[in-house]
Amino acid sequence: MDMQGILEEIVEDIGLLGRHGEVASYIPSLGEVSPDKFGICVAMADGSVFGAGDWLTPFSIQSISKIFSLALVMSYDYDSIWKRVFREPSGTPFNSMIQLEADLGIPRNPFINAGALVVTDRLLTLTGDAAASVRGLLRSESGNPEVDVDDVVAASEADHGHRNASMAHLLASYGNLENPVEDVLSNYFKQCALEMTCEDLAKASLFLARHGVSSGGTPFLSPNQSKRVNAVMLTCGTYDAAGEFAYRVGVPCKGGVGGGIVAIVPGRCSVTVWGPALGPNGNSMAGIAALDQFTAKTEWSIF
Ligand code: GLU
């Protein structure tokens, strides 16, 4: 298969489609990114890497960080996080609070904001510095020691993070936080503000395509845990558009409001796409179109 040729065709087609969607502006510093960027990178299970478009431009990974915080907590704690977070699709926006009260402080899944706050809280208890441990994992798995937090984005989100702060207080009121609200929020904003390229992210998430095996060849997650993270990505990784992603793309995906999406083809590869303009559900419009083409051209949908 001519993987480089496929990626170049996708970049060309995305350019022809024109721009759709809007850059996230509720975190003001994300609103400054050009909506016309588009990049794609594929990291194959054998270690080879292919990229096209703006695949080497760093962007804010935002909610994609939630895959790595969950994987870290599972690597330390095995299954105990599931006593504090469900693993069902929410059908509501990523920052919705309605369900959290109805479910008495147990978030629907670890990939909506409420669930991610609980995961970050647990990681903070386990490591003493949740954001630094996510950064450490991303540096070692991507092989890029320069991966770091964009402090301007983290501060911008903290200044405008009233919904996340409300959610953290609501979780605390139900006894579902182990650490002070301020500490959980600051770690969460920093992990979301990590900056990476498509290449970094495709390499860093490759363990999920390799049944949990890390870049160094040692097990980071067990095959069973890797299967479970992929399953939660498929059902909950793209907010209330998980059905649309399964229909159009057909592999586990996790998106972020920075416009990145990580997609895993178990046993084969990890793909990262980046296009900052988002659709109504908070997912990259160019990203879903590109992944739709990718699984069609490669015939690598799991369905
Ligand atoms: N930091 C963002 C927030 O909490 C992440 C949202 C996302 O990427 O979906 O609102």
Side-chain angles (χ1 to χ4, degrees), residues 87-172:
R87 44 178 185 261
E88 291 299 336
S90 70
T92 55
F94 66 93
N95 56 3
S96 171
M97 298 182 63
I98 296 170
Q99 220 162 23
L100 187 58
E101 183 164 29
D103 289 342
L104 305 178
I106 306 291
R108 269 302 159 104
N109 67 67
F111 293 151
I112 53 170
N113 287 8
L117 287 164
V118 171
V119 173
T120 298
D121 174 59
R122 185 65 193 146
L123 192 56
L124 185 55
T125 303
L126 289 164
T127 65
D129 190 337
S133 64
V134 172
R135 185 183 61 187
L137 175 66
L138 291 173
R139 284 181 177 175
S140 66
E141 290 307 298
S142 67
N144 178 2
E146 313 270 289
V147 168
D148 219 338
V149 174
D150 181 334
D151 291 322
V152 175
V153 173
S156 181
E157 181 161 8
D159 286 346
H160 296 82
H162 302 300
R163 285 188 81 85
N164 283 324
S166 320
M167 248 177 277
H169 282 288
L170 193 56
L171 288 164

Side-chain angles (χ1 to χ4, degrees), residues 17-237:
L17 283 176
R19 187 200 307 166
H20 297 279
E22 299 292 331
V23 175
S25 56
Y26 77 98
I27 301 173
S29 69
L30 290 185
E32 291 161 20
V33 179
S34 162
D36 297 319
K37 300 277 184 196
F38 179 73
I40 182 165
C41 177
V42 176
M44 303 294 297
D46 68 6
S48 52
V49 173
F50 303 87
D54 298 309
W55 67 298
L56 298 174
T57 305
F59 63 90
S60 193
I61 72 170
Q62 292 297 320
S63 269
I64 297 172
S65 65
K66 295 170 185 173
I67 309 171
F68 301 98
S69 50
L70 176 66
L72 277 164
V73 165
M74 289 175 74
S75 77
Y76 289 116
D77 244 5
Y78 203 66
D79 261 355
S80 57
I81 194 68
W82 303 117
K83 296 192 186 98
R84 296 176 54 193
V85 185
F86 296 128
R87 44 178 185 261
E88 291 299 336
S90 70
T92 55
F94 66 93
N95 56 3
S96 171
M97 298 182 63
I98 296 170
Q99 220 162 23
L100 187 58
E101 183 164 29
D103 289 342
L104 305 178
I106 306 291
R108 269 302 159 104
N109 67 67
F111 293 151
I112 53 170
N113 287 8
L117 287 164
V118 171
V119 173
T120 298
D121 174 59
R122 185 65 193 146
L123 192 56
L124 185 55
T125 303
L126 289 164
T127 65
D129 190 337
S133 64
V134 172
R135 185 183 61 187
L137 175 66
L138 291 173
R139 284 181 177 175
S140 66
E141 290 307 298
S142 67
N144 178 2
E146 313 270 289
V147 168
D148 219 338
V149 174
D150 181 334
D151 291 322
V152 175
V153 173
S156 181
E157 181 161 8
D159 286 346
H160 296 82
H162 302 300
R163 285 188 81 85
N164 283 324
S166 320
M167 248 177 277
H169 282 288
L170 193 56
L171 288 164
S173 80
Y174 283 107
N176 202 4
L177 285 188
E178 297 168 338
N179 295 280
V181 162
E182 296 69 31
D183 297 349
V184 175
L185 286 172
S186 121
N187 274 272
Y188 173 76
F189 294 146
K190 282 190 206 153
Q191 77 172 61
C192 287
L194 282 156
E195 268 212 323
M196 297 173 77
T197 64
C198 290
E199 180 186 25
D200 294 332
L201 266 174
K203 287 181 178 170
S205 51
L206 196 51
F207 69 88
L208 289 170
R210 304 199 321 169
H211 309 295
V213 175
S214 72
S215 56
T218 52
F220 165 50
L221 295 182
S222 69
N224 202 32
Q225 288 177 311
S226 176
K227 175 187 87 174
R228 296 193 189 298
V229 175
N230 278 317
V232 182
M233 283 172 70
L234 182 79
T235 52
C236 311

